[in-house]
Amino acid sequence: MKKIRIGLIGYKFMGKAHSNAYRQVGRFFTPKAIPIMKAICGRNERGVKEAAENFGWQEYETDYKKLIKRDDIDLIDITTPNNSHCEIVVAAAKEGKNILCEKPLAINLKEAEEMLKAVEKTGVKHMIGFNYRRAPAIGLAKRLIEEGRIGKTYHFRSTYLQDWIVDPEFPLNWRFQKEIAGSGALGDLLAHHIDLARYLAGELIEAIGMDKTFIKERPISLEADGLTGKAGKEKGKVTVDDTTLFLAKFKNGALGSFEATRVAPGRKNCNRIEINGSEGSISFNFERMNELEFFSRKDLSYAQGFRTILATESEHPYISAWWPPGHTIGYEHTFIHQIYDLMNDLAEDKMPTPNFLDGVKCQKVLEAVSNSIKTKGWAKI
Amino acid sequence: MKKIRIGLIGYKFMGKAHSNAYRQVGRFFTPKAIPIMKAICGRNERGVKEAAENFGWQEYETDYKKLIKRDDIDLIDITTPNNSHCEIVVAAAKEGKNILCEKPLAINLKEAEEMLKAVEKTGVKHMIGFNYRRAPAIGLAKRLIEEGRIGKTYHFRSTYLQDWIVDPEFPLNWRFQKEIAGSGALGDLLAHHIDLARYLAGELIEAIGMDKTFIKERPISLEADGLTGKAGKEKGKVTVDDTTLFLAKFKNGALGSFEATRVAPGRKNCNRIEINGSEGSISFNFERMNELEFFSRKDLSYAQGFRTILATESEHPYISAWWPPGHTIGYEHTFIHQIYDLMNDLAEDKMPTPNFLDGVKCQKVLEAVSNSIKTKGWAKI
Amino acid sequence: MKKIRIGLIGYKFMGKAHSNAYRQVGRFFTPKAIPIMKAICGRNERGVKEAAENFGWQEYETDYKKLIKRDDIDLIDITTPNNSHCEIVVAAAKEGKNILCEKPLAINLKEAEEMLKAVEKTGVKHMIGFNYRRAPAIGLAKRLIEEGRIGKTYHFRSTYLQDWIVDPEFPLNWRFQKEIAGSGALGDLLAHHIDLARYLAGELIEAIGMDKTFIKERPISLEADGLTGKAGKEKGKVTVDDTTLFLAKFKNGALGSFEATRVAPGRKNCNRIEINGSEGSISFNFERMNELEFFSRKDLSYAQGFRTILATESEHPYISAWWPPGHTIGYEHTFIHQIYDLMNDLAEDKMPTPNFLDGVKCQKVLEAVSNSIKTKGWAKI
Amino acid sequence: MKKIRIGLIGYKFMGKAHSNAYRQVGRFFTPKAIPIMKAICGRNERGVKEAAENFGWQEYETDYKKLIKRDDIDLIDITTPNNSHCEIVVAAAKEGKNILCEKPLAINLKEAEEMLKAVEKTGVKHMIGFNYRRAPAIGLAKRLIEEGRIGKTYHFRSTYLQDWIVDPEFPLNWRFQKEIAGSGALGDLLAHHIDLARYLAGELIEAIGMDKTFIKERPISLEADGLTGKAGKEKGKVTVDDTTLFLAKFKNGALGSFEATRVAPGRKNCNRIEINGSEGSISFNFERMNELEFFSRKDLSYAQGFRTILATESEHPYISAWWPPGHTIGYEHTFIHQIYDLMNDLAEDKMPTPNFLDGVKCQKVLEAVSNSIKTKGWAKI
């Protein structure tokens, strides 16, 4: 059995999710290559050492530059804050390492393009972590769309609503700082929906947006990650958007509406998309990720309605590896599926999807949205 | 155009709903006969006079015996408390009047059978007010079932949950007194579900039940109807069930589960039924009365799910008379549909359904449930 | 009891809904003035005569100019195609008639302002038919918002999705012709949402939109109204939008997202709005018009969630006139509530709301959206 | 750190779920003792060897008698067919091993009591695998109930609906044979609901049931487990129930309704319970296992409704170990939580719950239900 030796950089939220995926993939699936959890890397030695133990890594490193030079690593997986992606990718590519990088690819288009150039130059394999493509219900949506079951696409409608920062006392961490995160809801949330839009409805060609930071100052977090963290009395300035919305036009003539916010009380991870076509519709909400809503104009005329498909049948994507029908899976499974596909691609020397090209295309949309906000006019993508 | 002259007895909740139906039916439908709102009858002159004006009746009476003798009345409609149904029906039938009677037909089987005998003897037309049969979604369910779309029936499952008497201070009115109401949740709520079970799944042959009165005393209502009424300090004894449940077997081999309660907080008129068959399922909840859930095993294998059919298309029962798709109707419309069907039947000299025979069959089930509770064993129906 | 004598112009979909409201209002409510259904008016004598009988009008007219001059008419109600509103309003105001006019007020802002000027000049009372304000759940939303229960408004999000013209064979009627309808989804559907936005979240100050006509030609309807109508072989050009979307900024700092389409398969009258504030959220979908979703950050921390409030309790707006809790109402009831409020206002010589000023403000937004589409930039409102 | 060395018997569906729990518990939680995956045991050497590798066990055994005698095993975990539980438990208890046994405890009450006696005699710790207690939403329900938030319990209502055997061609495996499984839907599904009823609503004292085998013959499975398996042409007799329903009375006066079926098309793992009390209600459906519905009569009178609580906040049971709010978990997590609690109890020498006493009490209900079916009368529990 082929083995892929992994070096993971970052050990917080995403580091935990990726580690779990590497550990679990071979327990449920039979990928053509098996990941070996070689080393995890972080700057705080105490933290990364503990993470290595907890998450099941053989070793740890505190300097990513050392990690990427190691001969016993085949794949570098990057889950660090967005502003570090470019530097690490360029360096890792130079070392000939295959790369999995979390989204958004970079904090701006220039960096993203530099990253794509770097991996293309050295010919390494690359993937971007748009994990929602790997929800079985989304895979099913893709299938139904490709089979023509909703016809020609008219509308792509997305809302990605969260409420975790609606409390003005929620502490300021790196995700609120433009120089590190690049943007707020835009890059964190809409990047996912832009990717799903491209995956399910096609390329976007023009956009116009608006954004807002409702809460402009927050107490500074006393923790690096600060996701659940404590804060002191000192306040810092929020330099990213709490919310971004944009309208878009697709190459195929469809119209798109996108909205992401982190200040919608009661919406926890309400990652919702709907696509209407000439023959039917599909609708998905990640809070009920095992379900896909599907409407077909071809159903019996007096018995048409949105069907709630529980995407837990063995013929649904990825499900045969898991449990019987109705025994649902969760958020973390999307990452396991991602690694499953990645391992298969690497084993067969195929370029994974979505990859850095998708990352760049997504970044182009993000950049166009930002530009449209600045110029107060439509921006070409 | 043929005309049917109506005499309505009772002017409270049901009297109001029936009056509305007579007023409205010709405004939206084109029934083969038109109801003429001749006279409304009640013992309290002030009350019935006001009702006559409000509801649109030409005249009023204070003695039902006078009403049923009038030559200018073709149909007697009975919406009085349950213990008066028998006397009125027997008398009205003797006068050769056609009759619409609210459910439950009577306070016991003996009376119900007497009533059936009375109408059969004089050959008048008769109907019982199981209005839920006339919800478009239920009509659609009937159609799907008759077309074989759920196959052979395995399960009939009903819960009729309300919470209007969960407050122990809710006043005691006639609906809490066995000698007037016959029973509580059993006759008031389960009568509807027994009828729907017979309509959609077939005859019941055996039952076993249990019941309970959780709140045994209540302040006595100061109003006759007492639906929203004020109460004094004096307390009275509740002599009917707050809740009744029973299991049943159907002639066709299906199994049934029935439950009705008036003390389920948050459930307002949660009149819910589900039928599972060998090929599919249907599910209905009156709180969302415009919707029918339908599952078919014949759908594409990887795209099966319960469909939420919004039963507001013009090809759904009764809907073409109303509004465009998605423009929903409400509770009162079931009564209008009932009168529409009744007028058509009377115009064509046909026996309406459901009629007193259905009322008796329902009463047999109610009686069997009561018996099974007394004897603590299964009761034949 | 004061009486208001009504002259209704138009006898199709809206004419039917308004007629029903006049007939029903006094049967359930006790308004301070009672509407007298004096005359209905339409150009086709056969049609209007039949409508007069069916809907319960005392007389009919075939020329609106005659109608508005009649001494025995107090209120002119206009439900004709949009391009005729202005002419009729100006004429009726001159005659000193109070006016109820269907939305959108006019086919453009110029006409709308002319209409407002006309009614203000002669000092008549005026109202515009934004009936959705009168859904009890919307009234409840208004109350919760005014009580501060969702805090400071951050987001107003609306989608108004229908599918009745997704079939390219659906016939072309006046609603598809710009010179008569003014616009398509924009004026027909978004006008409602702009009004709800103003009612629940405040004034809009800036907008940018996009629109599209997906199906550019349709067979020409053989009926005047053509709502369910038959079509011939000849095709005509659709000159209004099938769909319009826009982003907007509110005076109070909130951000708005609006979308309306008539080509979203499975969405029948999916008139959905959501408002997120600093302390909570509310959500509403007309397809389940008896329900309001409400989230409060003040609920017990570990028991927070969107509550599905069944707005059928007697303390909810308008409900005490109807049925017990859980016994739902439908689309037509919003019109009855509208007439109830209108009668009360006229009886007390108060200006109704929403009135032509609201109509003009709504039209300003519609015009700004249209302008923003033409100029491809943000438009001030 | 204390270590608990595990010997797992059975390597099919439940063996896979339990293995995953042992592997994962220490990756997310910090239990007071860590499980060591010592050995897995099964009769088919090829199968168990493969399972050992896939699931992460150090060794395998083919004879459970050998396994339970090993000195390096602290806990025996039993996931074999029901008819083998008793023999293994008695033997393992004799060897002084702590025991986790899957539900139902045994195929009849006699065996269950023998098992309880055996563990009590040797004083080992014991637990039964009612994993649904460990869904965070159920833990939250328990908390709300214990805090008195739904008041005095009136109703416990459960339906456990599946459809995996509705196809008559679904192959016959051990689960359809009375001598191995004990019963069908009764022991497999209702055992869970009886446990949840006891956990959330109290002890049951009387029951009456009915059951049915709708499909009496099936093609015999060619695989041992046969969950997804292929079948030959030969048919075998189904000797267990496809469905069982029963009514029950609780010691505290509440009434219960229970139903389980495996032939309800469209219901996959519709494990649904609802409890109504004097002050509120809770409702849960495992197909949306991250959600709990809660209604409180103490909410603002005009804003009451069932709240959909997404039980993914860090203050909800077990959740702080997982992901941010709204990032849902799945079926397998209930097993991880079970092992977390078990490890903590064993580390502190405490008796876990639910344990064999709970298993016996559940079995008493199952036996009473069976008896009531045989005698056609109520059975004391």
Side-chain angles (χ1 to χ4, degrees), chain C residues 147 301-303 307-308 315, chain D residues 147 301-303 306-308 315:
Chain C
E147 289 173 351
S301 67
Y302 49 90
R307 294 180 211 171
T308 303
E315 62 181 318
Chain D
E147 289 172 352
S301 67
Y302 49 91
F306 274 87
R307 296 179 208 170
T308 303
E315 60 181 319

Side-chain angles (χ1 to χ4, degrees), chain C residues 140 143-144 147 149 293-294 299-310 313 315-316, chain D residues 140 143-144 147 149 293-294 299-310 313 315-316:
Chain C
L140 173 59
R143 176 176 183 176
L144 295 172
E147 289 173 351
R149 295 188 191 279
E293 305 275 328
F294 170 53
D299 280 347
L300 189 67
S301 67
Y302 49 90
Q304 297 186 358
F306 274 88
R307 294 180 211 171
T308 303
I309 304 168
L310 200 53
E313 301 291 315
E315 62 181 318
H316 291 139
Chain D
L140 173 59
R143 177 176 182 177
L144 295 171
E147 289 172 352
R149 295 187 191 279
E293 304 277 327
F294 169 54
D299 280 348
L300 191 64
S301 67
Y302 49 91
Q304 296 187 356
F306 274 87
R307 296 179 208 170
T308 303
I309 306 167
L310 200 51
E313 300 292 313
E315 60 181 319
H316 291 141

Side-chain angles (χ1 to χ4, degrees), chain C residues 60-77:
Chain C
Y60 69 86
E61 296 279 359
T62 56
D63 181 355
Y64 89 83
K65 286 172 189 161
K66 236 180 100 186
L67 181 79
I68 62 173
K69 283 197 192 302
R70 282 174 58 157
D71 283 346
D72 60 350
I73 300 284
D74 303 307
L75 177 89
I76 292 291
D77 182 347

Side-chain angles (χ1 to χ4, degrees), chain A residues 253-307:
Chain A
L255 301 186
S257 164
F258 296 77
E259 174 172 9
T261 180
R262 292 161 164 177
V263 292
R267 303 300 179 192
K268 300 303 172 177
N269 197 35
C270 184
N271 166 348
R272 194 158 52 185
I273 61 170
E274 177 164 325
I275 307 178
N276 309 119
S278 57
E279 301 304 328
S281 296
I282 68 119
S283 186
F284 172 81
N285 177 355
F286 189 77
E287 287 181 354
R288 291 177 174 168
M289 67 166 279
N290 294 277
E291 300 174 14
L292 183 73
E293 305 276 328
F294 169 54
F295 180 91
S296 171
R297 290 184 60 219
K298 301 230 169 85
D299 279 348
L300 189 66
S301 67
Y302 50 91
Q304 296 187 356
F306 273 87
R307 295 179 209 172

Side-chain angles (χ1 to χ4, degrees), chain C residues 150-275:
Chain C
I150 68 165
K152 184 173 152 47
T153 303
Y154 288 162
H155 292 285
F156 183 90
R157 187 176 304 112
S158 101
T159 51
Y160 202 142
L161 314 180
Q162 299 184 333
D163 70 358
W164 58 289
I165 64 169
V166 72
D167 182 348
E169 296 308 310
F170 188 92
L172 189 144
N173 60 41
W174 69 263
R175 290 172 186 271
F176 297 89
Q177 293 168 266
K178 192 179 171 57
E179 64 279 16
I180 306 181
S183 64
L186 177 65
D188 185 28
L189 306 182
L190 285 178
H192 277 300
H193 276 183
I194 291 163
D195 183 65
L196 288 179
R198 292 185 55 251
Y199 185 54
L200 299 172
E203 297 296 338
L204 290 78
I205 53 171
E206 216 177 342
I208 184 149
M210 67 176 174
D211 66 359
K212 184 137 186 169
T213 307
F214 288 103
I215 298 159
K216 295 186 171 62
E217 277 194 342
R218 294 180 176 277
I220 294 172
S221 172
L222 300 176
E223 297 179 9
D225 194 42
L227 258 180
T228 55
K230 299 232 163 78
K233 279 181 185 171
E234 205 190 338
K235 293 224 171 183
K237 221 176 151 181
V238 177
T239 50
V240 300
D241 52 303
D242 289 339
T243 182
T244 295
L245 298 86
F246 71 95
L247 303 178
K249 295 174 186 165
F250 286 78
K251 202 175 165 185
N252 61 15
L255 301 186
S257 164
F258 296 76
E259 174 172 8
T261 181
R262 293 161 164 177
V263 291
R267 302 300 179 193
K268 301 301 172 180
N269 197 34
C270 185
N271 166 348
R272 192 159 54 186
I273 60 169
E274 177 165 325
I275 308 178

Side-chain angles (χ1 to χ4, degrees), chain B residues 307-360:
Chain B
R307 295 180 209 170
T308 303
I309 305 168
L310 201 51
T312 57
E313 300 292 314
S314 62
E315 61 180 319
H316 291 140
Y318 308 105
I319 290 295
S320 62
W322 299 105
W323 314 106
H327 294 69
T328 56
I329 60 169
Y331 169 68
E332 73 212 44
H333 295 70
T334 58
F335 292 95
I336 303 173
H337 302 162
Q338 180 173 276
I339 294 305
Y340 172 61
D341 289 338
L342 176 60
M343 290 300 113
N344 283 336
D345 288 337
L346 293 180
E348 300 192 322
D349 205 33
K350 290 202 303 195
M351 181 60 69
T353 55
N355 53 48
F356 286 11
L357 183 57
D358 297 286
V360 165

